[in-house]
Amino acid sequence: MRMGRLLCTAVLLCGVASMIPAAERMLAMVTLAAKSADPQAAPQRPSPSETPVPGMPKSERVEQPRGKTEQYTLSEDRYEKAVAYSRAAYALYFVSYFVSFAVLLLLLRLGVAARLRDLAERVTGLRWLQGFVFVPLLILTSDIFDLPVRLYWHSLSLRYEQSIERWGPWFWDWTKEELVGTFFALILALILFAAIRRSPRRWWLYFWFASLPIFLGIVFINPLIIDPLFHKFEPLDKEHPQLVDAIEKLTANAGVPIPRNRIFLMRASEKSNQINAYVTGLGASKRVVVWDTTLQKTSNDEALFIIGHELGHYVLGHIWKGFLFGATALLCALYLIFRGLHWMLGRWGRDWQLYGLEDWASLAAFLLLLQLIMFFASPVVNGVTRMQEHAADVYGLEVIHGIVPNAEEVAAHSFQILGEVDLEDPNPPAFIRFWLYSHPPVAERLIFAHSYDPWSKGESPRYVKAHAP
């Protein structure tokens, strides 16, 4: 469920953040994948026989008889793994921010950024061509120092069987990520310095206006060009036409039909054991994507609820709302960077051998401030995405009501499987939930699935009015 990264931070993470080191981008995704547990009560720890074996295809799993799934529970082994895995991910998140911040600061204090600028100036006297030398060198240098964090994260994912991607393909994915990120970073950097040269006092506003179409373009082309570089996609209708028929029934009942060709299957099982689904794109590229692991490890009804949740993002316009939120956040961030750069260059510019705002080496100072702002903005961004995820949960429950038998139990058990397979933290600290989680706690979502019942109370559903009695 990548809604938080592609929606609420569409501008910050899809645009400007492409200039930030790769470890930062990875850990932004890590925080959005940490979907947590109950803040009120720690899950019970039943015997292993009470929990199906995660990671196995449905055909190989022995389904145990069960009553209501009233709270998030884990076997002894999964409980210990979930705690260890989650705690390591939290630590790695903060370590990554510290490393990325420290690298940029050292590049400035040790004069590395200035030497890279001097090299670019020796290569060519044309200022715009200097950017083609300086920007890739700055990004590659900072990302090389951040690479150990990425390596450790992948090693952790392999150890806890969340990833199955071998090191060779992983390095190839990292290389592609670097190339794509550098391409967009170069475009944005050229626009940024053109805006600075045009107006040293209002460059932040001009850059904001000029960059928005690029960010929209990134969101548009992401499912068409960028995502296929890393995963294989095909129409869900190709192998699961009956599931698509059921999805069409849901959306038709809700009065918001979604074309069959907008629903895709992603071959996640080639790289991951986790289950997921998401909505992405804009306009003609807008689509619902379901991981094949989700269909392998859940029942058809449970998969239908998960898809219904993603249809909620689609129908409720979370992409556009997230983009508008991100655009506003970016404007505020750019103004803060404008003020911060003047103070920073006035205080340390000579020590760092920076000649002023127009100096290519000042890009490292720009990124340093952006890194700091994004870190402290994380709770706000994640808070917004938590609200969107809750709204999508409500929509998912409403859209399957009356179509899927025992819909509340189906939804609750889908959250149980999500926690088992993805090793959700059984009892995360309150601060971590506030700072990192882009989704409500899994146990909280599970309990809500059982408690949300407007129909029996004679109340009108919030979104899917067609299902009201």
Side-chain angles (χ1 to χ4, degrees):
M1 302 178 184
R2 299 187 300 175
M3 290 292 302
R5 183 172 62 93
L6 293 176
L7 308 180
C8 279
T9 57
V11 175
L12 290 176
L13 296 183
C14 292
V16 176
S18 63
M19 296 189 285
I20 290 178
E24 161 62 19
R25 296 195 297 273
M26 178 274 295
L27 281 158
M29 290 185 281
V30 170
T31 65
L32 300 178
K35 295 182 285 292
S36 77
D38 189 1
Q40 302 296 330
Q44 296 178 350
R45 298 166 62 172
S47 65
S49 62
E50 290 179 300
T51 305
V53 180
M56 294 179 63
K58 287 183 296 185
S59 60
E60 299 177 20
R61 287 168 54 179
V62 178
E63 296 292 345
Q64 301 291 334
R66 68 173 190 268
K68 288 186 176 181
T69 309
E70 296 182 342
Q71 58 183 316
Y72 175 42
T73 61
L74 292 173
S75 68
E76 186 78 20
D77 178 60
R78 297 303 282 185
Y79 184 95
E80 293 176 357
K81 287 183 177 179
V83 170
Y85 180 68
S86 300
R87 297 307 192 265
Y90 303 152
L92 195 59
Y93 168 83
F94 290 103
V95 167
S96 175
Y97 259 111
F98 174 78
V99 169
S100 299
F101 188 87
V103 166
L104 288 169
L105 185 60
L106 287 174
L107 291 179
L108 288 165
R109 293 195 62 179
L110 299 178
V112 177
R115 285 194 285 274
L116 293 177
R117 174 207 60 211
D118 295 341
L119 174 61
E121 291 177 347
R122 288 196 298 271
V123 171
T124 176
L126 296 176
R127 181 167 176 78
W128 66 277
L129 281 180
Q130 292 170 2
F132 282 81
V133 178
F134 176 82
V135 174
L137 285 176
L138 178 66
I139 292 175
L140 181 61
T141 301
S142 59
D143 282 2
I144 289 297
F145 283 101
D146 281 326
L147 185 57
V149 179
R150 294 289 303 270
L151 294 172
Y152 182 76
W153 172 250
H154 186 60
S155 175
L156 197 68
S157 299
L158 290 171
R159 186 192 315 166
Y160 287 95
E161 300 177 335
Q162 297 298 290
S163 174
I164 58 173
E165 187 175 21
R166 296 179 181 274
W167 284 105
W170 184 90
F171 271 109
W172 176 229
D173 279 347
W174 180 83
T175 302
K176 288 184 288 186
E177 182 182 325
E178 290 296 300
L179 292 173
V180 172
T182 301
F183 172 77
F184 287 113
L186 180 59
I187 294 175
L188 291 167
L190 291 174
I191 294 174
L192 172 65
F193 280 89
I196 290 174
R197 290 195 300 272
R198 177 181 177 83
S199 177
R201 295 189 61 82
R202 293 186 175 84
W203 61 264
W204 55 276
L205 184 60
Y206 294 148
F207 176 69
W208 182 74
F209 277 119
S211 61
L212 289 183
I214 295 177
F215 301 147
L216 277 172
I218 292 173
V219 176
F220 178 82
I221 69 171
N222 186 67
L224 300 176
I225 298 176
I226 300 176
D227 281 350
L229 294 175
F230 302 93
H231 295 282
K232 296 178 182 178
F233 296 84
E234 61 186 40
L236 184 63
D237 195 26
K238 182 178 178 181
E239 292 188 7
H240 303 275
Q242 293 181 340
L243 180 58
V244 177
D245 289 340
I247 294 171
E248 285 191 324
K249 185 177 180 180
L250 293 183
T251 57
N253 256 11
V256 190
I258 297 176
R260 298 174 77 94
N261 61 1
R262 294 293 184 93
I263 306 174
F264 285 80
L265 181 72
M266 189 181 93
R267 296 294 182 185
S269 58
E270 297 178 359
K271 299 180 180 181
S272 175
N273 284 323
Q274 295 182 314
I275 60 178
N276 210 337
Y278 62 93
V279 172
T280 185
L282 286 173
S285 72
K286 192 175 181 181
R287 62 193 59 196
V288 176
V289 177
V290 184
W291 290 17
D292 62 346
T293 49
T294 301
L295 303 184
Q296 294 168 5
K297 300 173 184 181
T298 61
S299 69
N300 288 339
D301 286 345
E302 290 162 352
L304 205 58
F305 166 72
I306 293 171
I307 294 170
H309 169 99
E310 300 306 328
L311 295 178
H313 289 306
Y314 188 106
V315 172
L316 299 177
H318 286 166
I319 291 178
W320 276 107
K321 292 175 183 178
F323 181 83
L324 293 176
F325 170 78
T328 303
L330 177 62
L331 181 62
C332 296
L334 288 173
Y335 180 73
L336 291 175
I337 291 173
F338 163 71
R339 304 291 296 184
L341 275 177
H342 279 282
W343 172 78
M344 185 179 288
L345 295 182
R347 186 178 180 89
W348 295 297
R350 180 173 298 181
D351 294 338
W352 294 347
Q353 303 172 49
L354 304 181
Y355 305 140
L357 283 176
E358 296 186 22
D359 186 349
W360 281 110
S362 68
L363 179 62
F366 178 98
L367 295 178
L368 185 66
L369 289 172
L370 179 61
Q371 184 95 312
L372 189 64
I373 291 171
M374 288 185 65
F375 177 74
F376 286 105
S378 294
V380 177
V381 173
N382 287 329
V384 172
T385 60
R386 281 196 299 272
M387 290 189 292
Q388 289 189 335
E389 294 298 334
H390 177 69
D393 283 347
V394 173
Y395 186 94
L397 285 162
E398 292 180 356
V399 81
I400 67 172
H401 180 77
I403 296 177
V404 172
N406 200 8
E408 291 78 10
E409 169 60 23
V410 166
H413 196 253
S414 71
F415 289 131
Q416 172 66 32
I417 293 177
L418 176 68
E420 292 175 7
V421 175
D422 290 0
L423 289 179
E424 303 290 355
D425 189 345
N427 192 25
F431 171 76
I432 294 296
R433 292 197 304 268
F434 164 74
W435 200 275
L436 298 186
Y437 290 158
S438 65
H439 292 63
V442 159
E444 182 180 299
R445 299 169 79 184
L446 190 155
I447 293 171
F448 177 78
H450 274 294
S451 64
Y452 184 71
D453 187 14
W455 304 276
S456 66
K457 302 174 185 177
E459 299 173 356
S460 176
R462 194 179 306 176
Y463 302 117
V464 187
K465 306 301 181 182
H467 288 165

